[in-house]
Amino acid sequence: AQSVTQPDIHITVSEGASLELRCNYSYGATPYLFWYVQSPGQGLQLLLKYFSGDTLVQGIKGFEAEFKRSQSSFNLRKPSVHWSDAAEYFCAVGTPKALNFGKGTSLLVTP
Amino acid sequence: DGGITQSPKYLFRKEGQNVTLSCEQNLNHDAMYWYRQDPGQGLRLIYYSQIVNDFQKGDIAEGYSVSREKKESFPLTVTSAQKNPTAFYLCASSPGTGGVRSQYFGPGTRLTVL
């Protein structure tokens, strides 16, 4: 079954520092992969998605992600984090029914 | 503005009561979904609907029921059979079915059982 794993439950970065959030997927074929962000008490907002083609995907809010088939990974990156990026981040993989989500990574941004 | 609305934002229920959560979308999307979110658990699929008058169970459908009488509406009923209903409930929609299309989420309803 298609699934994703987010190895880091919490990550803390300093404002202005670079960020990388990890996501590993399990799927035999080329997966449909997504990154979403959730602010406390809110719904989820789509940051970016990968379906095929260029393995480096650009998203909103300055985020990007790179699909690496050899490592079964789809890590999310941002060159310089802003305090407003503090939130919960979810990686998801498409299935015939819906999306399977990872358990999320909570990002804390320090001054 | 196009989007997904969920109401109410907060809901309190006594044990043994059924309660219905509303989800409406004006995106003209065919598919709609209900997810449950618990701390540290990510999102788990309760029910999904690909077309009007049709819906399918997700991974944790026990104790829940849905209807899809209109394209824009997909209400979720949490019944008294749901043993641990306190959670954050998220509704989503997509222009197509399955996981090949991006899903768009509502703001959520937080249900607390007293």
Side-chain angles (χ1 to χ4, degrees):
Chain A
Q2 301 95 321
S3 65
V4 292
T5 302
Q6 295 179 249
D8 304 305
I9 297 174
H10 300 284
I11 282 188
T12 300
V13 297
S14 300
E15 190 168 14
S18 63
L19 170 69
E20 182 169 31
L21 301 182
R22 295 185 292 165
C23 173
N24 295 106
Y25 69 88
S26 173
Y27 187 52
T30 299
Y32 294 89
L33 294 164
F34 306 81
W35 274 101
Y36 283 86
V37 61
Q38 183 183 36
S39 297
Q42 302 298 315
L44 276 67
Q45 181 182 21
L46 178 67
L47 287 175
L48 48 79
K49 61 191 177 190
Y50 172 77
F51 287 176
S52 65
D54 193 347
T55 56
L56 185 62
V57 180
Q58 301 298 321
I60 63 171
K61 303 186 178 187
F63 285 94
E64 67 177 27
E66 186 170 12
F67 173 69
K68 291 185 177 181
R69 185 186 300 278
S70 62
Q71 299 178 17
S72 297
S73 68
F74 188 57
N75 294 349
L76 183 71
R77 301 194 296 246
K78 187 169 186 178
S80 177
V81 170
H82 188 262
W83 64 265
S84 60
D85 293 323
E88 187 97 19
Y89 291 81
F90 292 95
C91 181
V93 62
T95 78
K97 293 189 301 186
L99 300 181
N100 273 354
F101 286 85
K103 295 188 176 182
T105 297
S106 179
L107 174 65
L108 176 65
V109 180
T110 59
Chain B
D1 284 340
I4 301 175
T5 57
Q6 292 186 242
S7 61
K9 188 170 179 64
Y10 299 96
L11 190 55
F12 298 90
R13 189 195 90 176
K14 293 182 179 179
E15 281 194 27
Q17 289 181 335
N18 293 354
V19 64
T20 298
L21 283 59
S22 169
C23 177
E24 304 276 333
Q25 55 101 356
N26 60 7
L27 300 168
N28 200 33
H29 285 173
D30 291 317
M32 297 188 73
Y33 312 82
W34 275 104
Y35 292 91
R36 170 180 172 141
Q37 184 178 22
D38 297 281
Q41 295 298 313
L43 280 71
R44 293 180 289 169
L45 182 66
I46 304 173
Y47 268 97
Y48 65 103
S49 169
Q50 299 175 345
I51 56 173
V52 175
N53 293 322
D54 185 63
F55 48 83
Q56 306 295 329
K57 293 182 179 179
D59 301 319
I60 56 165
E62 184 176 353
Y64 300 98
S65 66
V66 294
S67 63
R68 185 88 187 274
E69 297 177 359
K70 297 185 295 183
K71 186 175 185 178
E72 59 270 25
S73 179
F74 191 41
L76 173 74
T77 297
V78 184
T79 74
S80 56
Q82 168 52 232
K83 294 186 180 0
N84 185 20
T86 294
F88 191 52
Y89 291 87
L90 288 158
C91 179
S93 70
S94 66
T97 60
V100 300
R101 302 278 190 167
S102 303
Q103 291 185 13
Y104 298 86
F105 283 80
T109 292
R110 184 165 300 281
L111 173 63
T112 303
V113 174
L114 304 173

